Amino acid sequence: MSDNPQISAVLAYVEARERELGEQAGQLRSRIEDLTAHLGEPDAESENLRITRKTLLAIPRPDPVEGTPRPDVPDHPAYQQILTALADAGRPMRARDLCEALDLPILPKNTEGIRSKLKRLVTRGILAEPEPEPEPGLFTQPRT
């Protein structure tokens, strides 16, 4: 060290500051290591998703099954809801029963709307309406 008290004070400050900066650098390096480890997790998951997408796109489409073609269901979501409700019930249903199953108010406009959709599904061969002898107005999925 120097004999000069001013230089000794400056040198002591420089040494203290060097230690302080060394500690800060060590803390920052530790944080960088933690962040790098955490960054690896989303990178790994992203890579897994990329591989999954690639695998799914590589799966060939199955050949269509020979036999009767499946009729096209109309695009409106109400038709899917009707078919789901019928499948869930597992029994023939009336338009009124379907209104209840679909949480629609039992009003003539709703019942007639459902009935017309049911009739449309019958004409497309998606649903069946048994003969009117035992009970008219029942709709069911056809036996396959």
Side-chain angles (χ1 to χ4, degrees):
M1 283 269 231
S2 172
D3 291 336
N4 184 340
Q6 289 178 334
I7 292 184
S8 294
V10 170
L11 288 175
Y13 170 77
V14 168
E15 288 177 15
R17 185 67 181 142
E18 281 179 327
R19 279 192 306 274
E20 187 180 302
L21 290 174
E23 289 174 10
Q24 285 180 357
Q27 291 173 351
L28 289 173
R29 283 186 189 91
S30 175
R31 287 182 59 198
I32 288 172
E33 289 173 7
D34 290 344
L35 289 173
T36 301
H38 289 340
L39 181 61
E41 294 169 6
D43 285 343
E45 186 173 349
S46 178
E47 179 65 14
N48 288 341
L49 291 171
R50 188 188 67 73
I51 291 169
T52 301
R53 180 185 314 107
K54 184 178 178 181
T55 302
L56 289 172
L57 291 173
I59 296 173
R61 295 187 95 185
D63 292 333
V65 177
E66 295 295 323
T68 59
R70 179 164 170 98
D72 291 331
V73 176
D75 288 335
H76 196 278
Y79 291 97
Q80 288 300 322
Q81 293 170 344
I82 289 170
L83 292 173
T84 300
L86 273 168
D88 289 346
R91 61 177 173 79
M93 296 179 80
R94 299 181 184 285
R96 180 182 175 96
D97 300 332
L98 280 163
C99 284
E100 288 176 1
L102 297 173
D103 293 325
L104 295 173
I106 308 298
L107 299 173
K109 69 176 187 172
N110 292 336
T111 307
E112 290 307 314
I114 293 292
R115 184 174 287 113
S116 70
K117 287 176 178 56
L118 289 167
K119 293 283 189 180
R120 186 168 294 122
L121 292 171
V122 168
T123 58
R124 290 184 178 210
I126 298 169
L127 291 181
E129 185 176 18
E131 295 297 320
E133 284 299 316
E135 292 184 66
L138 285 175
F139 296 87
T140 186
Q141 293 180 335
R143 306 277 183 236
T144 54

